[in-house]
Amino acid sequence: MFRQDFAWGVASSAYQIEGRDKEDGCGKNIWDTFTEEGRVYENQNAYVSCDEIHRYKEDFALMRLLGIRAYRFSLSWARILPEGTGKVNEKAIALYRDMILEMKKNGITPYITLYHWEFPQALQDRGGWLNEDVIGWFGEYAKVVAENFSDLCEYFFTLNEPQCFVGLGHLSGVHAPGKKMEIKETFQIAHNALRAHGQAVINLRKYAKQEIKIGYAPTCGVAYPATDSKEDIEAAKKVYFGFYNPIDNWTWNVAWFSDPVFLGSYPKEGLEKYKEYLPKITKEDMELIHQPIDFMGQNIYNGYPVRAGADGEPEFVSREPGFAKTAANWPVTPGAFYWGVRFLSERYHLPLYITENGMSCHDNVSRDGRVHDPNRIQFLDEYLSALCRANDDGADVRGYFLWTFLDNFEWDKGYNERFGIVYVDFATQKRIVKDSAYWYQKVIESNGKELGMNKQETPILFLNPVFTHNIWGGTRLRTDFGYEVEGDDIGECWGVAAHQNGDDTIREGIYAGKKLSQLWKEEPGLFGNVDIDRFPLLIKIIDAKDDLSIQVHPNDEYAKVNENGSFGKTECWYIIDCPENASLVIGHNAKTKEELSDMIHQGRWKEFIREIPVKKGDFIQIDPGTVHAIKGGLMILETQQNSDITYRVYDYDRLSNGKPRELHVEKSIDVITVPAKSVEDSVKSAAHVEKNKLNELYSCQYYKVFKIELDGKMEFEQEYPFLIMSVLEGDALLNGQRIKKGDHFILPNGYGKVELQGNLEIIASTI
Ligand code: BGC
């Protein structure tokens, strides 16, 4: 679980939300220039954006209402120092101080980022990050920040994502200042940025008015293992901290940007690989970069799977067709969160904040005036669950800053991508809280307990039946029901079974391959946590080509004593199909125990057996102690206690493998009820029940049995501990999933609303 003081926050950056006004005294920065040059999507700019400099009061109030407790935001360097150095813009100081006070008034802890990409244009004109003077410039800016805000704020981050502003800004040129520089120059820029970070740490501490805590917020796609094998984990780690990128894309690197800051040296592998491009790196430089730091930040959005190849070397694994993506086309990879956090913690041994994580979606205002963003909720749920697991497995995770609160100016993509949990109508500046924000609120309030991982998953549990071969069995389970099973003596399909003589496995989904008996033990919540030591029911389809033996079952008390603790067997049948003039055996004609014993011992079967006519759709309840037998030609769905105890009274003198099957005459006489229950009490027709309804056919202490005849649509609430269903005819959609004849499945506890549409016949049961 997350720590009690976990910082549940949102993140933003100054340029992406602030906007400006003519009187604010803000200096020009490289993104102003970049947008003026028309290098952003549809010529858009951020002169208004979310108009945050005028609307922060309302926005912080909204954060409070949504229970957000921490806010990572950035200061605009050129707003504070319009020329980058020198004269301070007092209006900016006043603005940011008021913002911080307002945050605090709303119960929000401020986390300040010094640099989130809007480099002052005046300093860009003097060479920008390539000029080594930037170390002094950034140091001066840090001093001004410490002097003016450290009395109000305890937490600071120096740089946001140097990988991006070095690479996208100076190598590929898709971000401001839009340069495509020599590789060598970009190494100089990176080295300068790291030194500037060190200088900022020194000055923040030196000029701070109280004890402050400082971190750093790099990023990178995460190499995560394709499987949990030791080899794949090692391979992924090797790539994550290694140097696998081509040189013209070298800046996407973890170790190069983090080892110097956290460990005090550039990684050896990189020093070797990049030697021809490196600037002069001195001992003093490394000391400057390696300032004591309180925590690491990391922005993680996604990653890529890696495995160990045959030669032990890492191999990149391609994503499956149709893999989940964000609106920005970034892959959805919660595994990256788990493994990234673990790998970073193991290497750097520092407390960690996720300084950014989130998802862009094509959000839209619905007719109800709200913004429904289920994809974002799912994304956040999976990522936060992964984070929680990484934390449980040893990483020291202190906080999470969701990117981002408001939809905003997404750099070169302009307003084309929406990352917010609050929708912004850029024409009117109206804010609409998206569903994801309400969801996040619940997660915060429960300190993570509301995450999916902490809730019982309730998927439909489809089962792989087990089949038995019997002397009286036929082929209809294959020919009518389509089960793939060989032989012409297939007697029984154990559609829902968790018995030692036949234990079904789960067919698909998160529990795929698990035995039903195992699931019953491991996930009792799926079955309503009922206090029974084994799965209580057994559902079979029986195809009797020939007559079954005349038999009887014991009750619980008898079975417990005489059958090794087994359940007794109460059962019932629903006749799926039978010929005209079909019959079966139910009950007997003996009036006393003595007569019963005589009839059996003397083989007076004609007198003894009570055979009755039956029709398709009949429902027959068979209490323990009831003599019964299924006759040839019948196809039956049987719902019974989870037991396999049968006492054979008479087997028509048949031979199986040349020998008569075992009879259990004395035990039968022990358990047979005398006199037998009347026929009327045992049999009723269930051929026609009310359509589109869960109709109860029978209820006893062991089970309730229902029939559904679906013709069109129906819905109901699954409110039983669990509900077993066997489809006997037709097909339909159950909450979007196709079910068809021959399917057996369980709707677990808490499954909720069941919507069915189609045409089918189901026998359902529960306890
Ligand atoms: C940046 C943000 C950006 C987000 C989404 C991060 O790399 O720090 O400024 O909006 O990604 O692209």
Side-chain angles (χ1 to χ4, degrees):
M1 279 324 292
F2 295 109
R3 351 171 0 123
Q4 273 317 310
D5 61 353
F6 192 78
W8 289 105
V10 289
S12 75
S13 90
Y15 198 72
Q16 292 179 273
I17 59 171
E18 279 184 356
R20 73 164 44 149
D21 70 38
K22 287 203 181 74
E23 274 83 57
D24 65 7
C26 182
K28 189 166 185 180
N29 71 52
I30 54 173
W31 275 94
D32 294 330
T33 312
F34 199 66
T35 54
E36 279 162 17
E37 288 168 359
R39 296 177 70 175
V40 165
Y41 173 77
E42 291 198 340
N43 263 328
Q44 289 166 345
N45 61 50
Y47 294 140
V48 177
S49 186
C50 306
D51 193 27
E52 193 63 1
I53 55 169
H54 299 117
R55 293 173 194 267
Y56 58 89
K57 290 202 164 101
E58 284 82 4
D59 288 336
F60 296 154
L62 206 51
M63 282 188 199
R64 168 176 48 77
L65 290 172
L66 288 167
I68 288 161
R69 302 195 188 135
Y71 185 33
R72 172 181 173 244
F73 65 108
S74 77
L75 306 173
S76 163
W77 184 349
R79 183 183 289 282
I80 293 177
L81 292 159
E83 295 300 314
T85 63
K87 192 166 171 333
V88 173
N89 173 14
E90 292 304 332
K91 284 187 186 158
I93 304 293
L95 174 74
Y96 286 133
R97 282 189 69 84
D98 193 51
M99 274 194 188
I100 297 170
L101 287 169
E102 195 66 27
M103 272 175 229
K104 295 175 94 166
K105 234 200 277 172
N106 283 286
I108 301 161
T109 307
Y111 287 71
I112 291 181
T113 303
L114 264 62
Y115 183 68
H116 202 126
W117 306 357
E118 64 285 78
F119 199 80
Q121 184 61 46
L123 299 181
Q124 184 63 36
D125 297 340
R126 292 161 69 184
W129 285 106
L130 190 56
N131 184 340
E132 287 186 282
D133 289 346
V134 74
I135 296 137
W137 300 336
F138 194 58
E140 180 186 335
Y141 168 49
K143 173 174 179 278
V144 174
V145 169
E147 285 171 344
N148 287 288
F149 308 115
S150 65
D151 58 327
L152 299 179
C153 181
E154 198 188 338
Y155 299 96
F156 293 84
F157 291 97
T158 56
L159 304 178
N160 179 69
E161 301 189 349
Q163 286 89 346
C164 285
F165 71 77
V166 179
L168 300 176
H170 302 87
L171 198 51
S172 66
V174 298
H175 276 191
K179 309 259 185 231
K180 293 189 176 167
M181 289 183 161
E182 296 293 322
I183 305 285
K184 224 175 153 155
E185 291 175 312
T186 59
F187 274 97
Q188 180 73 59
I189 287 177
H191 190 54
N192 291 349
L194 290 174
R195 284 190 289 168
H197 153 84
Q199 190 60 54
V201 176
I202 291 174
N203 286 7
L204 281 171
R205 287 236 167 79
K206 186 164 165 198
Y207 297 101
K209 304 207 167 130
Q210 62 168 330
E211 204 176 302
I212 57 169
K213 301 207 166 56
I214 309 177
Y216 161 62
T219 188
C220 208
V222 177
Y224 63 89
T227 74
D228 283 353
S229 76
K230 235 173 88 204
E231 294 73 24
D232 286 359
I233 294 171
E234 281 314 306
K237 205 187 291 181
K238 197 166 168 192
V239 172
Y240 190 40
F241 295 112
F243 294 83
Y244 287 78
N245 274 331
I247 192 69
D248 58 358
N249 201 22
W250 77 267
T251 67
W252 296 113
N253 192 289
V254 174
W256 192 261
F257 287 94
S258 285
D259 280 15
V261 172
F262 302 132
L263 305 177
S265 53
Y266 282 109
K268 277 211 189 71
E269 194 188 340
L271 287 171
E272 189 48 42
K273 185 162 178 195
Y274 298 148
K275 35 180 201 268
E276 58 182 297
Y277 305 109
L278 296 184
K280 194 161 152 250
I281 299 170
T282 66
K283 198 164 142 271
E284 290 71 35
D285 291 347
M286 297 319 293
E287 277 168 16
L288 176 60
I289 297 171
H290 186 214
Q291 292 304 309
I293 204 159
D294 300 288
F295 42 76
M296 57 179 157
Q298 192 78 16
N299 299 354
I300 300 181
Y301 286 89
N302 53 56
Y304 47 96
V306 168
R307 68 173 165 234
D311 57 358
E313 278 304 299
E315 227 172 61
F316 295 86
V317 180
S318 15
R319 298 186 208 280
E320 74 283 9
F323 64 88
K325 283 192 268 184
T326 73
N329 270 334
W330 296 358
V332 176
T333 55
F337 226 40
Y338 175 79
W339 287 106
V341 168
R342 280 203 48 183
F343 289 162
L344 290 165
S345 298
E346 284 165 17
R347 189 175 177 99
Y348 300 123
H349 303 287
L350 276 171
L352 172 78
Y353 285 86
I354 292 298
T355 31
E356 280 180 37
N357 167 252
M359 183 191 198
S360 74
C361 298
H362 296 297
D363 300 310
N364 220 333
V365 184
S366 299
R367 286 168 72 94
D368 61 2
R370 301 178 65 166
V371 178
H372 307 294
D373 56 343
N375 286 350
R376 183 174 285 110
I377 293 175
Q378 190 182 333
F379 175 100
L380 294 171
D381 190 59
E382 287 183 29
Y383 274 66
L384 277 166
S385 296
L387 183 65
C388 188
R389 277 194 285 271
N391 183 70
D392 292 346
D393 291 349
D396 180 2
V397 189
R398 299 287 173 97
Y400 173 85
F401 294 95
L402 197 164
W403 187 271
T404 181
F405 190 59
L406 302 172
D407 292 334
N408 62 40
F409 176 74
E410 178 53 28
W411 306 114
D412 56 315
K413 314 274 177 11
Y415 301 94
N416 196 27
E417 283 174 15
R418 293 183 178 270
F419 268 95
I421 53 171
V422 172
Y423 182 90
V424 176
D425 177 340
F426 292 104
T428 62
Q429 290 298 337
K430 183 174 156 74
R431 273 66 167 146
I432 302 174
V433 174
K434 302 183 194 177
D435 289 355
S436 58
Y438 289 111
W439 174 87
Y440 190 42
Q441 176 175 26
K442 287 204 206 105
V443 172
I444 296 174
E445 277 165 3
S446 67
N447 202 29
K449 289 200 191 67
E450 270 298 309
L451 291 173
M453 65 176 284
N454 295 320
K455 291 204 194 128
Q456 179 82 55
E457 309 255 11
T458 52
I460 303 179
L461 303 170
F462 285 96
L463 294 150
N464 292 312
V466 168
F467 296 89
T468 67
H469 296 266
N470 308 69
I471 50 168
W472 43 263
T475 55
R476 292 181 72 185
L477 287 167
R478 182 173 60 243
T479 54
D480 281 22
F481 271 83
Y483 297 121
E484 286 174 18
V485 52
E486 308 264 301
D488 53 8
D489 60 349
I490 320 153
E492 300 182 354
C493 159
W494 291 31
V496 182
H499 192 275
Q500 67 206 21
N501 298 347
D503 201 351
D504 292 352
T505 51
I506 308 298
R507 191 175 83 187
E508 59 194 49
I510 50 173
Y511 301 116
K514 283 217 173 192
K515 300 249 189 229
L516 182 55
S517 63
Q518 193 186 354
L519 205 60
W520 175 263
K521 292 218 167 74
E522 290 173 5
E523 304 284 349
L526 288 173
F527 309 97
N529 293 305
V530 293
D531 188 17
I532 307 178
D533 67 354
R534 68 206 96 162
F535 189 79
L537 298 181
L538 177 54
I539 313 296
K540 297 177 182 174
I541 298 181
I542 296 176
D543 170 28
K545 195 174 78 189
D546 290 324
D547 297 348
L548 274 73
S549 64
I550 310 287
Q551 53 189 248
V552 64
H553 304 302
N555 63 16
D556 279 351
E557 293 75 56
Y558 191 92
K560 193 168 174 192
V561 176
N562 296 287
E563 303 296 346
N564 227 349
S566 167
F567 281 160
K569 198 160 153 191
T570 303
E571 66 186 37
C572 60
W573 301 335
Y574 174 81
I575 301 185
I576 301 172
D577 195 21
C578 65
E580 293 263 330
N581 307 320
S583 66
L584 50 72
V585 173
I586 177 126
H588 59 83
N589 296 314
K591 297 197 181 53
T592 64
K593 270 268 173 186
E594 268 180 326
E595 194 183 354
L596 172 91
S597 169
D598 286 352
M599 283 176 166
I600 293 176
H601 284 120
Q602 294 160 14
R604 288 151 53 197
W605 303 120
K606 279 234 159 79
E607 268 176 84
F608 174 64
I609 292 167
R610 188 168 80 189
E611 198 166 327
I612 59 160
V614 285
K615 295 182 302 308
K616 191 171 161 166
D618 278 353
F619 176 83
I620 299 127
Q621 165 68 12
I622 296 150
D623 297 329
T626 305
V627 174
H628 62 273
I630 298 171
K631 304 282 285 178
L634 291 171
M635 197 150 205
I636 275 171
L637 181 122
E638 180 173 68
T639 304
Q640 58 160 86
Q641 283 182 275
N642 182 7
S643 159
D644 202 19
I645 308 289
T646 296
Y647 299 148
R648 253 180 237 125
V649 186
Y650 173 52
D651 200 19
Y652 304 98
D653 302 322
R654 279 182 294 199
L655 300 181
S656 165
N657 296 329
K659 280 184 272 158
R661 295 194 294 173
E662 195 191 351
L663 298 179
H664 316 87
V665 173
E666 295 315 318
K667 283 182 173 173
S668 300
I669 295 173
D670 268 357
V671 304
I672 292 173
T673 310
V674 189
K677 207 160 123 179
S678 73
V679 173
E680 298 74 51
D681 284 349
S682 307
V683 183
K684 72 172 178 185
S685 174
H688 302 292
V689 294
E690 194 181 325
K691 286 196 169 148
N692 304 332
K693 195 180 153 215
L694 189 64
N695 298 283
E696 187 176 298
L697 299 184
Y698 193 80
S699 171
C700 65
Q701 74 176 108
Y702 299 109
Y703 47 71
K704 284 190 175 63
V705 178
F706 309 89
K707 186 178 174 197
I708 295 176
E709 261 181 70
L710 176 72
D711 180 14
K713 288 186 183 178
M714 67 178 276
E715 60 178 62
F716 66 96
E717 205 60 38
Q718 195 311 70
E719 52 197 15
Y720 298 100
F722 56 91
L723 187 64
I724 295 172
M725 292 192 157
S726 299
V727 184
L728 302 183
E729 203 50 69
D731 68 348
L733 290 175
L734 191 164
N735 293 359
Q737 195 151 341
R738 180 165 177 254
I739 54 171
K740 62 178 199 309
K741 178 171 179 170
D743 281 342
H744 301 266
F745 54 88
I746 302 171
L747 301 178
N749 187 245
Y751 181 80
K753 194 165 170 198
V754 181
E755 288 180 309
L756 276 167
Q757 51 177 306
N759 278 280
L760 53 62
E761 207 176 278
I762 281 176
I763 293 291
S765 53
T766 186
I767 52 172

